[in-house]
Amino acid sequence: MVTLLASGCLRVIGAQHGVAVGAAAKASALATDPDYGPVLSREFGMLTPENEMKWAQVHPERDRYDFSGADDLVAFAEQHDMAVRGHTLAWHSQNPGWLTGGSWTRDELISLLEDHIATVVGRYRGRIAQWDVVNEAWTPIGLRLNPSPWSTGIGADYLEIAFRAAHAADPDAQLFYNDYGIEVAGAKADHVYAMVADFVARGVPIHGVGLQMHVTSYFDVAQLEAQMARYEALGVKVGITEMDVRLPVPPTPADLDRQAGVYERAASACGRSPICDTLVLWGFTDRYSWVPSFYPGTGAALPFDEDYAEKPAYDGLVRGLQAGGP
Ligand code: G3I
């Protein structure tokens, strides 16, 4: 058992070792659960709106934006000196019906995408540290573009159109490509690496790659370390952007210990990497995790349990951050 520092360990230790430790956050939980905000601001120095900045929530009608949830989360972050990761400006999921059901020309879709990005990124100009500009563009098998209004209506150049629009709207924000399945060696990791290398070579404004890290407790962190290292050659950052480590529920003590080990080694890998300074969990308490509804029979994926008690994973993160960078 690690002797924990004063409360706020993850945020404090992370900052001491050059890692911004964050969590995805829900505006609804912030508004209704009195325990949620205090733990979030005590333990984390960064937050990502889990859903509140996605097209379906922030742009529900063609001529109407709804920034209420996003504004609440950004305001909370600023009140508690937390950085914000914006998520996400172009994805194949959680798009509103008016967009997916419309019949658009390529030029119309380019205008819709550019106008959305100018509006959303422009609203938070100077207040968002990193944006997930494009999320999960490629299918894990076959490496085709995930079908979306952007990929089918614009084509493969929608990605760089989005990055250029985001950079124009906030030149100081660090712009990320975010994906899963690229934390390990394989065709998808190679494909995304080649895409990022091409963007860098052509001057497309990209600054980082988000490695989501939605994994099980058997994940081999050496794979993550190898994928992180390859990006050093490109002069971009890498970030762990959506980490959770799902377990069969109810988890055994061995499951929880294995989970702690994965969190520990991932935190250490980020701290020791010269290009990783971001470790964001996808939530922080099992009470609100997306995992049980998407992976039935699994859960318990986060460092706080449903009653906000620290799990072995919490101590694993502390150990990993302490073993990380200078
Ligand atoms: O907003 C509606 C609400 O009006 C409705 O009453 C309710 C019940 O149907 O659904 C609500 O929408 C849900 C939304 O979360 C907001 O809560 C969707 O059904 C639900 O599918 C959606 O799930 C989100 C999921 O992305 C969608 O794919 C999860 O909360 C979110 O954690 C998850 O996050 C993604 C990242 O954005 C990208 N990387 C993968 C990660 C996990 O899938």
Side-chain angles (χ1 to χ4, degrees), residues 179-243:
D179 212 334
Y180 66 90
I182 59 172
E183 309 93 341
V184 295
K188 185 174 181 181
D190 294 343
H191 187 80
V192 168
Y193 177 85
M195 176 191 79
V196 175
D198 170 59
F199 280 11
V200 170
R202 292 191 295 113
V204 177
I206 186 168
H207 310 104
V209 178
L211 310 172
Q212 290 185 4
M213 279 294 282
H214 293 295
V215 299
T216 73
S217 63
Y218 294 96
F219 181 80
D220 176 9
V221 179
Q223 294 262 357
L224 171 69
E225 291 167 343
Q227 294 309 311
M228 283 180 165
R230 73 189 300 191
Y231 281 98
E232 292 175 32
L234 292 186
V236 299
K237 298 172 71 170
V238 293
I240 296 174
T241 52
E242 304 188 11
M243 186 168 182

Side-chain angles (χ1 to χ4, degrees), residues 101-314:
S103 173
W104 314 99
T105 66
R106 169 178 150 93
D107 287 346
E108 286 171 334
L109 283 166
I110 291 173
S111 296
L112 285 171
L113 182 58
E114 289 180 335
D115 292 348
H116 176 92
I117 291 173
T119 302
V120 176
V121 176
R123 181 183 184 86
Y124 302 107
R125 183 183 175 116
R127 305 165 66 190
I128 304 281
Q130 302 173 1
W131 271 104
D132 288 334
V133 175
V134 176
N135 190 54
E136 303 171 13
W138 304 99
T139 57
I141 310 293
L143 298 173
R144 293 180 303 280
L145 284 167
N146 270 308
S148 73
W150 320 123
S151 58
T152 53
I154 297 174
D157 56 342
Y158 90 83
L159 286 96
E160 68 182 86
I161 289 169
F163 275 93
R164 294 186 193 281
H167 188 61
D170 188 348
D172 295 328
Q174 294 185 332
L175 306 181
F176 277 61
Y177 174 77
N178 191 54
D179 212 334
Y180 66 90
I182 59 172
E183 309 93 341
V184 295
K188 185 174 181 181
D190 294 343
H191 187 80
V192 168
Y193 177 85
M195 176 191 79
V196 175
D198 170 59
F199 280 11
V200 170
R202 292 191 295 113
V204 177
I206 186 168
H207 310 104
V209 178
L211 310 172
Q212 290 185 4
M213 279 294 282
H214 293 295
V215 299
T216 73
S217 63
Y218 294 96
F219 181 80
D220 176 9
V221 179
Q223 294 262 357
L224 171 69
E225 291 167 343
Q227 294 309 311
M228 283 180 165
R230 73 189 300 191
Y231 281 98
E232 292 175 32
L234 292 186
V236 299
K237 298 172 71 170
V238 293
I240 296 174
T241 52
E242 304 188 11
M243 186 168 182
D244 46 36
V245 183
R246 58 187 180 272
L247 300 175
V249 291
T252 66
D255 291 329
L256 292 167
D257 285 345
R258 236 186 359 264
Q259 179 186 61
V262 175
Y263 274 111
E264 177 176 354
R265 286 192 293 278
S268 175
C270 181
R272 284 181 286 104
S273 165
I275 58 170
C276 182
D277 60 12
T278 301
L279 169 57
V280 175
L281 314 181
W282 207 242
F284 58 96
T285 165
D286 294 335
R287 179 176 296 188
Y288 300 106
S289 173
W290 71 290
V291 168
S293 52
F294 280 73
Y295 294 100
T298 75
L302 293 164
F304 291 89
D305 72 13
E306 299 194 348
D307 298 318
Y308 293 96
E310 296 164 4
K311 297 157 60 178
Y314 182 94

Side-chain angles (χ1 to χ4, degrees), residues 26 50-51 54 57 87 91 93-94 135-136 212 214 242 282 290 294:
K26 289 178 177 297
E50 185 171 351
N51 291 292
K54 294 172 179 173
Q57 299 219 4
H87 177 84
W91 191 24
S93 183
Q94 291 181 270
N135 190 54
E136 303 171 13
Q212 290 185 4
H214 293 295
E242 304 188 11
W282 207 242
W290 71 290
F294 280 73

